[in-house]
Amino acid sequence: MNRKKAVQHFPLRRVAAGSLMFAMLSASAVAADAFSYDSPYMFGDWGGTRTQLENDGIKFDVNYTMESASNLGGGADTNTSMRYSDQWAFGANFDLQKLLDWQDAQFQMTITNRDGQNISDQVADRRTGMLSSVQEVYGRGQTWRLTQFWLSKGLFDNVVNLKAGRVTVGEDFDNFDSKFQNLAFGSGQAGNWRGDRWFNWPVSQWGGRVKVNITPEVFFQVGFYNQNSANYDRGDGFRLDTSNSEGNMVPVELGWKPTLGPDKLPGNYRIGYYYSSVNGDVYGSWRDGGYQDKDHAYGGYVLLQQQLTAQGGDVSRGIGVTVQAVMNDHKTSKTDNYQSIAFTWAGPFDARPEDEIGIAAGRIHVNSDYTRAQRQQNAANGETDFNSPTYLPIQDGSEYNYELYYNVKLAKWLQVRPNLQYIVAPGAVSEVKDAFVGGISANINF
């Protein structure tokens, strides 16, 4: 592919086309609050119709996320260029208690579309790729998908909650909100480093979970998800059959969501474990031209998130910290452990009480058995020259990711985030130069 053509103008056309489509759909109902700062939606409340529908039990959400990034220096390809990726999400939630008098029940349907390109392909050696991604909205197949199609029902005054249908694992397990653009600092990290077993948004599968609210602050949940690699394929975003089922994944999680101190500072603490019955290559068994053994996969994770301060007594402002860690089995996982820490400061300035600053650092470690297998394959192929197209660059040790962002809330429906990222040893390949990346992302609620 011509690299100059890779910096296309299609994103602007797509944004314009999408905006025009929604403007046409809602033109007859655009209210006076459209495009106003205080409206949560770009097109306003449709003359009160949107609020009335939500009060009746029907809530529509249309969201657009864009992420662009430019390689400012370093990486495998030092040419400065920019890549743009984006995602549309069209959602509808039906409160069945309001609509059908069905206590503690709701139905959710969401369709997504991802498109664009990723600067990580330039930052890392193309033969290996980065471990993380500087544009988290990129990936999992740039295509249309049925991302959510599920029903949930509460029992015993919602002490027990059941959920089943087409679901993503990360919407329930290892979950929290994040504004970081680098993949290493968002929600669902257990799935980011075990993506061949744990499918995060926007890839869905048949499954569900049972959640028990032990107290208002403490919960326990267990999930069951059908494993079908075809769900990942481009063009199979609406595939609903289970003919290619390979096994099942079962995650369990214990969570605690306290409010601490006189300011009632919110926290989100989770510890979890998963097991997948799908067989995968055992990296320590490479010999005679291939892997000789296969085994199931398992792993665990920890999420520790706590707001530390309330600015002027306002709990919506202040400093928070998020610590994450993932441990995967040493047999079948390419990335066997991961750690990160992130600090956010909501409402840092009195003149900008709804803005936010974030800074984070993360480490992603490559399984030493995988590294050894790469060396063995190069030796078997007689490859010793790093510049040979058939040489396997050795991924050894860790890739480190750092990010600093400033989130500007231009309106309740529009947020823009410039950010700076630094990647040490992209792809955990020592021959690749550290990279400095500039990015900007935005979220629009229509």
Side-chain angles (χ1 to χ4, degrees):
M1 179 177 65
N2 187 308
R3 295 192 60 81
K4 294 185 180 297
K5 289 185 177 180
V7 192
Q8 302 171 23
H9 298 292
F10 78 91
L12 297 178
R13 293 201 300 270
R14 294 185 69 256
V15 174
S19 300
L20 179 61
M21 176 178 67
F22 289 108
M24 294 172 62
L25 289 174
S26 59
S28 61
V30 169
D33 64 346
F35 300 99
S36 73
Y37 176 88
D38 292 324
S39 173
Y41 310 107
M42 175 188 283
F43 293 143
D45 198 25
W46 303 345
T49 301
R50 197 164 190 165
T51 295
Q52 184 60 52
L53 285 170
E54 188 169 346
N55 291 337
D56 291 340
I58 303 174
K59 185 177 186 296
F60 295 103
D61 286 297
V62 178
N63 176 270
Y64 179 76
T65 301
M66 60 75 66
E67 294 178 347
S68 63
S70 179
N71 183 13
L72 304 179
D77 184 345
T78 57
N79 292 322
T80 300
S81 59
M82 180 174 286
R83 297 291 183 270
Y84 183 105
S85 57
D86 63 6
Q87 174 184 272
W88 284 98
F90 307 87
N93 181 272
F94 299 89
D95 186 331
L96 301 182
Q97 182 170 327
K98 292 180 179 179
L99 293 168
L100 302 176
D101 199 26
W102 195 10
Q103 187 74 21
D104 294 325
Q106 63 174 309
F107 174 76
Q108 175 72 38
M109 177 178 178
T110 306
I111 294 173
T112 60
N113 177 61
R114 284 186 169 182
D115 208 340
Q117 297 174 311
N118 189 4
I119 199 68
S120 298
D121 294 336
Q122 174 182 321
V123 169
D125 191 300
R126 288 183 178 273
R127 293 167 292 182
T128 62
M130 270 185 62
L131 298 182
S132 186
S133 171
V134 299
Q135 292 158 270
E136 58 84 25
V137 80
Y138 179 87
R140 290 296 190 180
Q142 307 301 88
T143 188
W144 288 92
R145 294 189 180 280
L146 178 62
T147 294
Q148 294 176 307
F149 194 84
W150 52 255
L151 175 71
S152 74
K153 176 69 174 75
L155 304 173
F156 314 113
D157 291 327
N158 213 35
V159 172
V160 177
N161 188 274
L162 309 176
K163 178 179 180 180
R166 294 289 296 191
V167 288
T168 64
V169 184
E171 67 190 66
D172 291 301
F173 293 84
D174 197 18
N175 178 265
F176 71 100
D177 292 328
S178 171
K179 294 184 177 68
F180 286 96
Q181 182 169 306
N182 191 297
L183 182 68
F185 308 122
S187 181
Q189 291 298 326
N192 291 339
W193 318 122
R194 198 72 239 222
D196 56 342
R197 300 293 192 277
W198 176 310
F199 287 175
N200 281 332
W201 180 287
V203 180
S204 65
Q205 60 262 281
W206 289 112
R209 59 106 180 98
V210 179
K211 182 177 182 180
V212 180
N213 296 300
I214 302 170
T215 72
E217 294 182 343
V218 179
F219 65 88
F220 175 81
Q221 58 182 345
V222 57
F224 185 88
Y225 301 91
N226 179 249
Q227 304 273 267
N228 188 337
S229 60
N231 290 326
Y232 181 86
D233 296 340
R234 181 182 176 90
D236 280 341
F238 291 84
R239 186 187 186 103
L240 302 181
D241 68 81
T242 59
S243 58
N244 293 320
S245 178
E246 301 165 293
N248 300 287
M249 189 185 79
V250 178
V252 295
E253 181 180 85
L254 178 65
W256 179 42
K257 303 186 77 171
T259 53
L260 304 179
D263 290 323
K264 297 189 181 300
L265 301 173
N268 179 21
Y269 298 82
R270 302 182 186 222
I271 182 169
Y273 170 87
Y274 74 87
Y275 171 82
S276 172
S277 64
V278 178
N279 280 320
D281 291 330
V282 174
Y283 292 123
S285 69
W286 197 95
R287 60 184 179 275
D288 300 328
Y291 297 105
Q292 304 302 311
D293 298 328
K294 292 184 178 294
D295 206 343
H296 301 161
Y298 59 89
Y301 60 90
V302 175
L303 168 62
L304 310 174
Q305 188 174 42
Q306 180 63 54
Q307 186 168 338
L308 303 176
T309 67
Q311 199 157 323
D314 184 356
V315 75
S316 69
R317 301 175 63 188
I319 296 173
V321 62
T322 302
V323 176
Q324 299 187 80
V326 176
M327 294 292 291
N328 292 319
D329 72 85
H330 207 263
K331 291 183 177 181
T332 68
S333 177
K334 175 180 175 180
T335 51
D336 58 357
N337 68 84
Y338 149 92
Q339 305 84 32
S340 73
I341 184 169
F343 291 92
T344 57
W345 186 2
F349 310 113
D350 291 339
R352 302 291 309 174
E354 295 184 288
D355 289 358
E356 182 177 288
I357 298 172
I359 186 169
R363 168 186 177 271
I364 311 160
H365 185 263
V366 174
N367 183 351
S368 59
D369 283 348
Y370 182 82
T371 302
R372 189 178 304 110
Q374 287 185 311
R375 297 187 192 281
Q376 291 172 332
Q377 291 175 59
N378 278 334
N381 295 330
E383 289 287 355
T384 58
D385 182 5
F386 180 84
N387 295 315
S388 170
T390 55
Y391 177 89
L392 294 177
I394 303 302
Q395 297 180 271
D396 187 12
S398 301
E399 172 187 292
Y400 294 86
N401 289 263
Y402 304 89
E403 181 177 347
L404 170 68
Y405 74 74
Y406 187 92
N407 183 72
V408 185
K409 196 166 187 178
L410 298 177
K412 292 188 182 300
W413 50 269
L414 173 62
Q415 299 183 65
V416 177
R417 283 181 299 282
N419 62 83
L420 295 173
Q421 301 180 46
Y422 191 73
I423 301 93
V424 176
V429 177
S430 60
E431 290 86 351
V432 179
K433 297 178 181 178
D434 299 348
F436 186 48
V437 174
I440 185 168
S441 62
N443 295 97
I444 304 172
N445 290 315
F446 289 90

